[in-house]
Structures are given as structure tokens and as C-alpha cells.
Amino acid sequence: MKILITGVAGFIGSHLSEKLLYYGHEVVGIDNFDDFYPRAVKENNLKKSLENSRFTLVELDITVMNAAFRKLYKLKFDAVIHLAAKAGVRPSIENPGAYMHTNVQGTLSILELMREVKCNTLVFGSSSSVYGNNYNMPFEESAPINKPISPYAVSKICGELLTYNYHKLYGFNVINLRFFTVFGPRQRPDLAIHKFAKKISHHEPVEVYGDGTSGRDYTYIEDVVHGIVAAMIQALIRSNVYETVNLGNSNPIMLRVLIEKIEKLLDKKADIIRQPKQDGDVDLTYANIERAKIILEWAPMVSFDEGLKKFIDWYQAENENPLEVNPVSDTLLDN
């Protein structure tokens, strides 16, 4: 099969690309190398995919209908996995317009591309942030999502609404996946586990927002990739499907416990600086994964402790061998 992945150079997208190539599929990957974090990191993410002849990288912005985007209309895809988005809750408060433009207009552009090329199978990367401060635990997909507390969450709710609209209007088979704090090797450098590991390793102060009792339902990258592949298969083999499914570990870890575990693995103490709780941050995320078990026959296999050790091992290896990245060439679709 030929599969289009948007946001392919990101943390989740690059792992997914490698898995699909391993399974023998052809992958067309889109990324605009947004400067939210260094381009070199994303290029390094793609190193393994770029070595595979069945991988094509297209560098473009999904919100801009330029010549590069229009060339996609000449291709045929069996499925689209839409992961591209501006990431980060706190930055979305500072620049909400950019998040709406990329995450909403960009999703609309991908849906229109699918309509034009007659591809009706979509897996959409949503987020646990859509639940806001929902105190009915664990979060069920049927819970109201009408009280988001960040523009990022609003943009993901809008994305889900758009996918539903195209399901109703054009018969798209869609599975929306609400990711719960994905972690593991190559995790984005702005996320807590990666950021804390770096600061503790370098004896730099660690800013902790709130009293340390907030919690996140951390989900290991390998499990998330398996969930995405399972969702794609279900969207391909079922007819008239529209589902929304949590992908989480169903095991929230408090912030202070996370730091203690990182300290133990690194054998170093954190220099903690307390800061007020930040706007847009939810108190707790906690996934009910019963629908994932039923619809996708999926359940997480990697425990938090096992996944954290794998991340720390990766981080230490990377720190010993700094990135040596060759610039990615111009859009490979043109060649």
C-alpha cells in the first residue's frame, strides 16, 4: 500500500514511517520542518526512512496551496495518517492564530486533497487535551469536550469536527486517535521527560509548575505506533466507519514521581525551582482504553518504568554521540 503521513519528521511520524516501511509499505511523508525545535533533530529522525527506497519526502507547508502541494494531487494513496500540527499547549496561548491556521486550515487542506485523489481512509492524530479539566476519571471518548482550556485543544476539537463532516459528506472512513503524552526515544525536546533529563544531566535548574501533584498518562511510542497501524487497518477494512479512540497507558504518573524516577535512573538530583501553575495546563490526564481494546484490539505493552529506562538509555547514548546530520535535499518529489 501507499500511505501518506503528514508531520513525518516529527517524533511520532518518524517512528510510524519506519514501522510502515518495515512492513513493506510505500510511504510518502510530508513535513515543513517547522522551527518549533531544531531542524537538525527532525532530519536525524528521518535518517532511517531516507535510507529506504520506498520512502519519499515532500517538504511543504500543508496550509499553502503551492506547486509542491498540487503535485500531491497526481499521486494515489490508500490511506492518510494526518499527524502534522503545531504542537504545545503553552505556546498556543501566546500565538493562537498560528495554531488555528496550521491545525485547522491544514487539516482542511489534507481532507480536500483526499477528496480530490479519491482516498477515503484517514487516521487523524488528536490529543487528550480536548478533555480539558475533566474530573470524571478515566476519560471516556463519550465525555463532553466543550470546555477546552487552551487554543491547542480547540484546534484539535476543530480537527475532529472536520473529519466528522467529511465522513458525513463524502463517506470518509475515519478513526480519530486521542494521544496521551507520548514518550520514548526521539521525544520532542520541549516535553517534560526529555527536558527534565537534559537539565538534571547538566546540573541545570528544573522549573516545576505547580506543586508536583499534576499527572500525565504517559504512553510509550512503540505502543502508540502499533495503535496507529491498528487504526489504519480498521479504517481500511471496515465500511462507513467513524470512531474516536483513546491511546493511553491508563496509568497517570504524578510530576514529582516522574522527577524522582528520572533522578534515580540518572543517579543525579534535580535542582527544583517552583513556579506557579501555567495557564492551559490540565491537572490530570487519564485514559479509559476500553474502546481501543474492543475496536483496535490494542492495549499498551510497555510499562512506564520500562519505557522511561529505554528513553534514558537513548538519551545518554545521544548525549555521548552528538548529532551529525546532513541537510535534507530539496523536495524529493521533484527528482
Side-chain angles (χ1 to χ4, degrees):
M1 291 190 300
K2 180 182 285 188
I3 300 156
L4 177 69
I5 302 175
T6 71
V8 73
F11 169 42
I12 300 175
S14 61
H15 279 279
L16 175 64
S17 174
E18 290 173 14
K19 183 63 69 176
L20 291 173
L21 292 168
Y22 173 80
Y23 288 151
H25 300 300
E26 185 177 350
V27 173
V28 176
I30 294 175
D31 210 288
N32 72 337
F33 293 90
D34 183 271
D35 62 3
F36 186 67
Y37 58 95
R39 180 182 179 114
V41 173
K42 298 178 182 180
E43 290 178 350
N44 194 61
N45 288 347
L46 285 177
K47 187 182 295 184
K48 195 169 181 180
S49 289
L50 286 166
E51 293 171 354
N52 194 305
S53 62
R54 284 179 279 102
F55 178 76
T56 302
L57 174 66
V58 185
E59 183 172 350
L60 57 78
D61 184 334
I62 58 174
T63 67
V64 180
M65 296 297 104
N66 56 13
F69 193 98
R70 285 192 291 273
K71 286 185 179 181
L72 295 174
Y73 284 69
K74 300 176 182 178
L75 303 179
K76 296 295 182 183
F77 308 110
D78 296 290
V80 173
I81 301 172
H82 179 36
L83 303 175
K86 285 192 76 67
V89 167
R90 294 172 193 163
S92 76
I93 296 173
E94 298 168 4
N95 191 2
Y99 279 72
M100 294 300 157
H101 181 64
T102 298
N103 298 0
V104 181
Q105 180 59 50
T107 297
L108 180 59
S109 297
I110 294 300
L111 290 166
E112 280 293 286
L113 168 65
M114 291 177 63
R115 188 169 67 87
E116 289 291 331
V117 302
K118 295 180 171 55
C119 173
N120 72 341
T121 300
L122 173 67
V123 177
F124 173 65
S126 190
S127 166
S128 62
S129 67
V130 302
Y131 292 108
N133 276 321
N134 184 337
Y135 296 107
N136 293 318
M137 304 288 178
F139 299 166
E140 295 185 5
E141 293 88 346
S142 59
I145 54 170
N146 58 355
K147 294 183 179 178
I149 63 172
S150 71
Y152 173 74
V154 173
S155 74
K156 286 299 183 180
I157 293 170
C158 289
E160 290 188 16
L161 291 173
L162 280 170
T163 66
Y164 180 76
N165 188 240
Y166 275 66
H167 164 71
K168 294 299 289 184
L169 288 175
Y170 307 113
F172 282 17
N173 292 323
V174 178
I175 298 185
N176 301 312
L177 297 177
R178 292 176 179 169
F179 300 134
F180 281 70
T181 315
V182 187
F183 78 106
R186 303 208 300 255
Q187 187 191 39
R188 284 190 355 235
D190 63 295
L191 293 176
I193 291 176
H194 197 151
K195 185 164 58 177
F196 291 167
K198 181 179 179 180
K199 288 185 176 294
I200 294 170
S201 293
H202 292 84
H203 305 285
E204 297 174 359
V206 175
E207 292 185 328
V208 172
Y209 297 93
D211 62 4
T213 61
S214 62
R216 294 293 179 269
D217 195 352
Y218 294 101
T219 318
Y220 191 65
I221 181 62
E222 187 176 327
D223 286 329
V224 168
V225 167
H226 288 157
I228 296 171
V229 173
M232 181 187 73
I233 292 169
Q234 287 298 314
L236 283 164
I237 66 175
R238 293 172 58 187
S239 60
N240 195 36
V241 59
Y242 186 87
E243 301 281 3
T244 300
V245 181
N246 291 333
L247 287 189
N249 204 35
S250 204
N251 178 35
I253 305 294
M254 281 197 298
L255 181 57
R256 62 173 178 78
V257 174
L258 168 64
I259 294 172
E260 289 168 2
K261 289 178 179 291
I262 294 174
E263 287 176 324
K264 185 174 180 180
L265 287 168
L266 292 173
D267 195 24
K268 294 181 180 180
K269 288 295 292 181
D271 177 15
I272 294 174
I273 297 177
R274 298 286 176 188
Q275 299 284 12
K277 182 183 173 183
Q278 297 289 287
D279 290 339
D281 281 353
V282 299
D283 297 325
L284 181 71
T285 62
Y286 184 3
N288 181 314
I289 57 173
E290 292 306 309
R291 284 178 67 82
K293 292 177 182 178
I294 296 168
I295 294 169
L296 307 181
E297 297 183 348
W298 176 92
M301 302 298 291
V302 180
S303 71
F304 177 74
D305 286 349
E306 181 185 355
L308 185 61
K309 185 177 187 309
K310 288 183 178 183
F311 171 81
I312 294 298
D313 289 345
W314 168 84
Y315 174 81
Q316 291 178 322
E318 288 291 302
N319 201 45
E320 291 172 4
N321 301 288
L323 294 178
E324 293 183 8
V325 182
N326 295 319
V328 173
S329 62
D330 291 337
T331 302
L332 299 184
L333 191 62
D334 293 340
N335 297 337

